[in-house]
């Protein structure tokens, strides 16, 4: 201070020059991206998602927080999923439903591939019948399990007891066979049943040479 005293002292890496503290340290940042320059300064800072290593190099910081699988953001992986699972968009292992070749039962992920009908049970992904068909003494009709005991031929119908029965056909017929061993009717004594199953008057001129033939005609 010009009187034998001092105006202050400089730091460890500094020297006093003309009343000013000047650094005697040479910063060292060769090969460094970040960190201390050796003189209390910095060689730089790292970007988002990076950290400065002990050697002063910016390194990617893997991000696997709350992730089961997928990329870690640094070219690595946060893990892999089991064979029956896949990695979803949220980097979580997710079960993949599998109903290939199945019509019922579990999809492997807590869901269902479908359900069976009232008389069916699911066996290895397939609906199988638990009903025993009953066709004893039946020609036709329901077998009790949703199937059929058979069908009837032309001119037959299935009775309530499952027997094929002939259906009489007397449509537009006055007389003659009904097709089932019965009759569609008989004609009066002065008429006959023609080929069209209609009652037809039979002209009668026996012993006559003139007059009515009994059918609107003349003898």
């Amino acid at each position: 201070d010009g009187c034998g005293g001092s105006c202050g002292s400089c730091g460890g890496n500094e020297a006093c020059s003309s009343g000013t503290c000047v650094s005697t340290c040479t910063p060292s940042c060769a090969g460094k991206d970040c960190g201390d320059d050796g003189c209390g300064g910095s060689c730089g800072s790292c970007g988002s998602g990076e950290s400065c290593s002990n050697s002063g190099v910016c390194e990617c910081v893997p991000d696997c927080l709350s992730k089961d699988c997928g990329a870690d953001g640094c070219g690595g992986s946060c893990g892999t999923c089991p064979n029956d699972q896949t990695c979803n968009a949220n980097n979580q292992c997710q079960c993949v439903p599998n109903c290939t070749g199945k019509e019922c039962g579990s999809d492997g992920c807590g869901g269902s591939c479908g359900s069976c009908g009232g008389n069916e049970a699911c066996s290895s992904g397939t609906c199988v019948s638990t009903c025993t068909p009953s066709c004893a003494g039946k020609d036709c009709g329901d077998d009790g399990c949703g199937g059929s005991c058979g069908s009837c031929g032309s001119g037959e119908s299935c009775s309530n007891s499952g027997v094929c029965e002939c259906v009489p056909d007397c449509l537009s017929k006055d007389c003659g066979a009904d097709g089932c061993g019965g009759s569609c009717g008989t004609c009066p004594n002065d008429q006959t049943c023609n080929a069209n199953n209609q009652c037809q008057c039979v002209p009668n001129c026996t012993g006559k040479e003139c007059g009515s033939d009994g059918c609107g005609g003349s003898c």
Side-chain angles (χ1 to χ4, degrees):
D1 62 3
C3 297
S6 174
C7 291
S9 59
C10 296
N13 291 321
E14 294 178 319
C16 189
S17 175
S18 303
T20 301
C21 289
V22 293
S23 175
T24 58
C25 181
T26 302
S28 176
C29 286
K32 289 186 175 183
D33 304 317
C34 55
D36 190 356
D37 64 0
C39 296
S42 172
C43 290
S45 59
C46 298
S48 175
E50 294 181 321
S51 67
C52 191
S53 71
N54 291 335
S55 59
V57 178
C58 289
E59 295 177 341
C60 184
V61 179
D63 178 18
C64 287
L65 183 66
S66 301
K67 294 181 180 181
D68 297 330
C69 54
D72 63 3
C74 295
S77 173
C78 291
T80 55
C81 298
N83 290 337
D84 59 345
Q85 297 184 357
T86 187
C87 191
N88 65 18
N90 295 321
N91 297 91
Q92 304 295 315
C93 288
Q94 187 177 42
C95 185
V96 180
N98 182 11
C99 287
T100 303
K102 291 184 176 182
E103 57 183 337
C104 58
S106 173
D107 63 3
C109 296
S112 172
C113 292
S115 57
C116 299
N119 291 322
E120 294 179 319
C122 190
S123 175
S124 301
T126 301
C127 291
V128 293
S129 177
T130 56
C131 182
T132 302
S134 175
C135 287
K138 290 185 175 183
D139 304 318
C140 54
D142 190 359
D143 63 2
C145 297
S148 173
C149 291
S151 57
C152 297
S154 177
E156 294 182 323
S157 67
C158 191
S159 71
N160 291 335
S161 59
V163 177
C164 289
E165 296 178 340
C166 184
V167 178
D169 178 18
C170 287
L171 184 65
S172 301
K173 293 181 181 180
D174 297 329
C175 54
D178 63 3
C180 295
S183 173
C184 290
T186 56
C187 296
N189 291 335
D190 59 346
Q191 294 183 0
T192 186
C193 191
N194 66 17
N196 294 321
N197 297 90
Q198 303 296 313
C199 288
Q200 188 177 42
C201 185
V202 179
N204 183 7
C205 287
T206 304
K208 292 183 179 181
E209 56 180 340
C210 59
S212 174
D213 63 1
C215 295
S218 172
C219 292

